[in-house]
Amino acid sequence: LGLVGAALIAAPTNGLALARLARAVLAQDSAQNPRQVGEADWFSRRAVKLAPDEAEVWWTRVEVVERADSLSEAVEAVQAALSIHPQNAELWHAQARMLEKTNRIEEAYQSLTKAIELAGAKEASPNQAKAKFYLSRSDFLNRQNRLAEAAKDFCLAKDIPLRDPQA
C-alpha cells in the first residue's frame, strides 16, 4: 500500500493516513482480498476516532459504510463531513446519493441543488463540475419520473439553449 502504509508506520495515530489506507483497501480487487470491506471498516473507524475534525476522514467513512450497505450510517457520516466542510459540492452530491438510497427523495433533491449552487459559486471552478451535478440531478429526476425537469437539467448540463415555453 506504498506511501500510505509507510506513513502509518511512521505515525500510527495519523487519522488521515488511516482514512487513505481504508480507501486503498477498498480499491483492491475483492477476489484477492475477501476481507476488503471489513479491513476498510476497521481503518475508517479508527481514523474517525483519531481525526474526527477531518472531512476527508468522514468522507472515507461514507464510502466504506456505503459499500457495506449500511446506508443510515452513511447518511450520518456524510452529515458529519458536511458539518466540517459545508462548502464542498462533492459532499452534497454524496449526501444526495445516500438520501435517495434511503428513499428520502425531497432531501436528496435539495442536496443535489445545493451541489449545483456550490459548483456555480466558485469562479475558479470549471463549468464541468456544475455540468456534472446537473447531469446527476437530471438522472435523479428521470428516476422520479419528473421528465420535464430532467430534460431542463440535461439541457443546462450540455449547454443547450432552453426552448421558449411559448414556442
Side-chain angles (χ1 to χ4, degrees):
L1 298 170
L3 291 175
V4 176
L8 278 174
I9 291 169
T13 59
N14 184 327
L16 201 50
L18 281 163
R20 291 178 181 163
L21 181 58
R23 278 201 170 132
V25 169
L26 279 182
Q28 292 175 338
D29 181 6
S30 59
Q32 292 181 345
N33 183 0
R35 296 181 311 261
Q36 167 192 40
V37 174
E39 289 177 10
D41 181 58
W42 188 89
F43 289 129
S44 68
R45 283 181 193 277
R46 183 84 176 126
V48 165
K49 283 184 182 177
L50 294 171
D53 296 331
E54 288 282 345
E56 183 179 340
V57 167
W58 283 103
W59 197 345
T60 300
R61 186 74 187 140
V62 171
E63 292 174 3
V64 171
V65 294
E66 179 183 15
R67 182 80 67 88
D69 285 330
S70 181
L71 299 177
S72 60
E73 190 176 349
V75 170
E76 291 174 15
V78 79
Q79 289 171 344
L82 280 167
S83 71
I84 298 165
H85 200 313
Q87 299 304 309
N88 186 317
E90 290 289 346
L91 284 173
W92 284 98
H93 185 250
Q95 177 172 268
R97 192 175 65 247
M98 299 305 117
L99 290 169
E100 183 181 10
K101 286 180 178 183
T102 57
N103 208 28
R104 294 164 64 180
I105 303 304
E106 186 54 38
E107 292 172 272
Y109 177 80
Q110 292 169 2
S111 291
L112 285 166
T113 301
K114 183 69 173 180
I116 292 168
E117 290 170 7
L118 290 171
K122 293 183 178 179
E123 292 179 24
S125 174
N127 218 6
Q128 292 175 338
K130 191 172 181 180
K132 174 180 115 174
F133 298 133
Y134 269 122
L135 278 177
S136 184
R137 191 170 72 176
S138 175
D139 291 343
F140 167 81
L141 290 166
N142 271 321
R143 288 189 297 276
Q144 303 308 313
N145 204 29
R146 294 165 63 176
L147 304 180
E149 293 169 277
K152 180 180 176 184
D153 277 1
F154 182 83
C155 289
L156 289 168
K158 297 296 183 178
D159 205 22
I160 299 170
L162 296 176
R163 183 176 179 180
D164 184 347
Q166 302 301 320

